[in-house]
Amino acid sequence: MTDQTRNDEAQLKALIQEYFDAIYAGDIPRIRQVFHPQCRLFAVIDGKITAFDHDPYMARVAGRPSGASRNDVRQDEIVSLSVASPTTAHARVKDIYAPSHFVNELTFLKEDGRWWIVVKAWHVLS
C-alpha cells in the first residue's frame, strides 16, 4: 500500500465519520460538506427505485427530527472501504435512524484533493 493510498483511506474514514455525525445531528450545513452538490441518492421505496438529487435529499433530512434530538442509540460501522484509484473509492457503511437500521453504499470521487460522496444507495435492514 502506498503512502498516498494510506492518506486517502485516512481522509475517507474522516469523511465517513463526518457523514455519520452530521446525519445523526441532522446538521444540514455539515451534511452539505460531505455530499457533492451534484450527488445522486437512491433507495427502493414501496418496491420502486427512487432517486433524489442533492437539495431534495437535504430537505428530506431537514424535515425529520434528528437522531440526536431524540437521543437515539448510535451504531455506526464502516463495513468496507476500498480506494480503487487516485480519484475513486467505495464504502459500505451501516447506521441507524431509529427504529430503522440501514446499509449504505457510498461512492466517492476526489476533486482538487478533496473527497466527496457522489452516490449513496441505501437499504433499510429492519
Side-chain angles (χ1 to χ4, degrees):
M1 179 182 301
T2 68
D3 287 343
Q4 184 58 52
T5 301
R6 278 190 284 279
N7 185 47
D8 285 335
E9 282 186 0
Q11 289 177 16
L12 286 158
K13 286 178 181 177
L15 182 66
I16 293 166
Q17 187 59 54
E18 180 64 10
Y19 161 81
F20 286 144
D21 293 345
I23 291 289
Y24 181 74
D27 187 330
I28 299 304
R30 286 175 67 192
I31 296 169
R32 288 181 184 278
Q33 293 300 307
V34 298
F35 283 97
H36 190 275
Q38 294 175 322
C39 71
R40 294 283 287 178
L41 302 101
F42 299 90
V44 175
I45 299 173
D46 297 327
K48 301 288 183 197
I49 294 176
T50 303
F52 299 90
D53 289 327
H54 185 270
D55 289 337
Y57 179 73
M58 296 301 134
R60 180 182 178 93
V61 174
R64 66 183 191 197
S66 70
S69 71
R70 303 182 314 181
N71 293 315
D72 288 351
V73 173
R74 287 183 68 171
Q75 291 182 356
D76 308 328
E77 177 187 2
I78 298 174
V79 176
S80 65
L81 175 60
S82 174
V83 179
S85 75
T87 61
T88 61
H90 173 267
R92 177 171 295 147
V93 303
K94 291 182 179 179
D95 59 0
I96 295 174
Y97 181 73
S100 300
H101 294 243
F102 292 85
V103 62
N104 306 283
E105 305 294 330
L106 304 176
T107 301
F108 304 88
L109 290 177
K110 189 177 189 182
E111 176 183 59
D112 297 329
R114 184 194 192 292
W115 289 100
W116 292 93
I117 298 171
V118 294
V119 176
K120 174 181 172 177
W122 74 91
H123 174 77
V124 179
L125 296 169
S126 63

